[in-house]
Amino acid sequence: MAGPAVSRLNRPVSHRLRPNPDQQDKNMNAPQHPAAPMPDVQSSADTRHLAINRVGIKAIRHPVRVRDEHGQDQATIAVFNMYVGLPHNFKGTHMSRFVEILNSQENALSVESFPVMLQSMVERLEAQTGHIEMNFPYFINKSAPVSGVKSLLDYDVTFIGDICHGEISSTIKVVVPVTSLCPCSKKISDRGAHNQRSHVTVTARTNDLLWIEELVRLIEKQASCELYGLLKRPDEKYVTEKAYDNPKFVEDMVRDVAAALNAEPRIDYYVVESENFESIHNHSAYALIERDKKASH
C-alpha cells in the first residue's frame, strides 16, 4: 500500500533557489556600460532624387489659447496639420519634433503671433518650406438686437500659414452662420417667404493684422440677418422682420461679401462661398467668388 502523499508545502527549499542579498547588491551597483548611439534613420541619404512637397503630422488635437481683439485669451481645442518640405537627398523628417513644437507653446496664439510658430517649426525641422493649419471653434459674445441679452455664438475658424525661404504668407478662414431669405418667395407669396440658415465661408490671405471678429462682422453685415445664441420675443420679432426686409439670393450673398472684401485693404486674396440649406428643398444652393486683388491691378 502506498504511503501518505508528501505535501509540497513541507518539502525543504533548496538553498540554490534563494536569492543572495550580497550578490543582488553587487548587481545593482555594477557600473552600467553606455549604450551605443542609436542610428538616425530619418537623416540617412535617399538615392531616388524625389523631393517631397509636404511631410509631417495630420489631424493632431491640442489644447490652445487664442487671443481676441480685446487682448483676452480664449481656451479651446485645435486640430493641427503641420508639414515641411523634404529635400530629395533625405530619407525622412523627424515626426516627434512637430509634437514638441506644440507642447512648447506657452503663449496664446492669435492672427498676430501665428507666423512665429510657423517660423519656429521650419527652424526646428531644419526645413526651407513649411505649412501649418490650425482649425478650432471660436466663440464671440453677442448682444441681442433689442433686449441686449448676451450669449455666445460659435464660429469655425482656421489659421493657415505658409513659409518659403523666410517669406511668410498668412491666411484666415472663417465659417459664419447667417440667415438668408428668398427674394423670389417673398415676391410671389401673399404671406411670408421661405428662409433658412446659411454658411458663408471666407478664406482670406492678409497683408496686415485682421482680427477674427473684424472678418466675422464684415460677413454678417451682408446677410439677410445675423444669428444669435439667445433671443427674447422682442428680439425674435426684430430678426424675423429684418430678414424679410432684406431678402437675398445665394448669388447676392457672395457678391455683397465680395464687394466688402474688395474694399478691405488688408486682404490681398479671397475666396467667398455661400451655402444656403434650403428649407423647401432637400438640397443646398451654392455660389463662389474668388479674386486675387494683387493680380487685378
Side-chain angles (χ1 to χ4, degrees), residues 21 46 114 120 133 165 213 232 245 257:
D46 193 277
F114 186 67
S120 173
E133 299 171 13
H165 301 285
E213 293 86 347
K232 299 297 185 180
D245 293 337
V257 173

Side-chain angles (χ1 to χ4, degrees), residues 12 37 44 57-58 71 134 155 159-160 171 219 255 265:
S44 61
I57 61 175
K58 184 179 178 68
M134 169 183 163
Y155 301 86
F159 290 165
I160 305 167
T171 302
I219 297 167
R255 283 175 171 149

Side-chain angles (χ1 to χ4, degrees), residues 154-202:
D154 62 298
Y155 301 86
D156 187 81
V157 179
T158 306
F159 290 165
I160 305 167
D162 288 280
I163 185 169
C164 182
H165 301 285
E167 294 291 326
I168 294 177
S169 173
S170 296
T171 302
I172 180 173
K173 178 180 179 181
V174 295
V175 180
V176 179
V178 297
T179 296
S180 62
L181 185 137
C182 178
C184 181
S185 176
K186 176 182 177 180
K187 187 72 173 179
I188 65 177
S189 302
D190 293 331
R191 297 177 299 278
H194 83 79
N195 61 85
Q196 53 273 319
R197 185 155 47 90
S198 304
H199 280 178
V200 179
T201 303
V202 169

Side-chain angles (χ1 to χ4, degrees), residues 71-258:
Q72 301 298 313
D73 294 346
Q74 183 177 135
T76 186
I77 302 294
V79 178
F80 285 87
N81 299 330
M82 306 174 71
Y83 314 118
V84 293
L86 187 68
H88 71 86
N89 54 323
F90 285 101
K91 188 171 185 63
T93 190
H94 294 82
M95 297 292 183
S96 62
R97 294 183 185 178
F98 293 101
V99 183
E100 291 174 352
I101 292 167
L102 287 179
N103 287 330
S104 66
Q105 294 298 314
E106 297 179 353
N107 299 322
L109 292 168
S110 69
V111 289
E112 190 175 22
S113 64
F114 186 67
V116 178
M117 181 182 180
L118 186 64
Q119 181 71 49
S120 173
M121 181 185 71
V122 292
E123 290 177 357
R124 185 77 175 85
L125 273 297
E126 301 177 4
Q128 296 297 319
T129 61
H131 176 91
I132 297 179
E133 299 171 13
M134 169 183 163
N135 175 258
F136 56 96
Y138 187 77
F139 292 84
I140 296 178
N141 199 13
K142 302 180 66 174
S143 298
V146 178
S147 68
V149 61
K150 291 185 176 297
S151 61
L152 293 173
L153 191 66
D154 62 298
Y155 301 86
D156 187 81
V157 179
T158 306
F159 290 165
I160 305 167
D162 288 280
I163 185 169
C164 182
H165 301 285
E167 294 291 326
I168 294 177
S169 173
S170 296
T171 302
I172 180 173
K173 178 180 179 181
V174 295
V175 180
V176 179
V178 297
T179 296
S180 62
L181 185 137
C182 178
C184 181
S185 176
K186 176 182 177 180
K187 187 72 173 179
I188 65 177
S189 302
D190 293 331
R191 297 177 299 278
H194 83 79
N195 61 85
Q196 53 273 319
R197 185 155 47 90
S198 304
H199 280 178
V200 179
T201 303
V202 169
T203 305
R205 187 167 64 235
T206 58
N207 57 52
D208 202 354
L209 178 60
L210 181 69
W211 292 102
I212 298 171
E213 293 86 347
E214 292 182 283
L215 190 53
V216 167
R217 287 193 294 266
L218 180 149
I219 297 167
E220 289 180 333
K221 288 179 181 178
Q222 314 310 320
S224 294
C225 188
E226 61 185 281
L227 300 188
Y228 300 88
L230 177 62
L231 295 172
K232 299 297 185 180
R233 280 175 294 177
D235 303 309
E236 187 172 351
K237 178 178 183 297
Y238 174 89
V239 299
T240 302
E241 294 174 347
K242 181 180 179 181
Y244 188 80
D245 293 337
N246 192 27
K248 293 198 176 186
F249 289 122
V250 68
E251 298 92 334
D252 298 317
M253 196 86 78
V254 292
R255 283 175 171 149
D256 290 343
V257 173

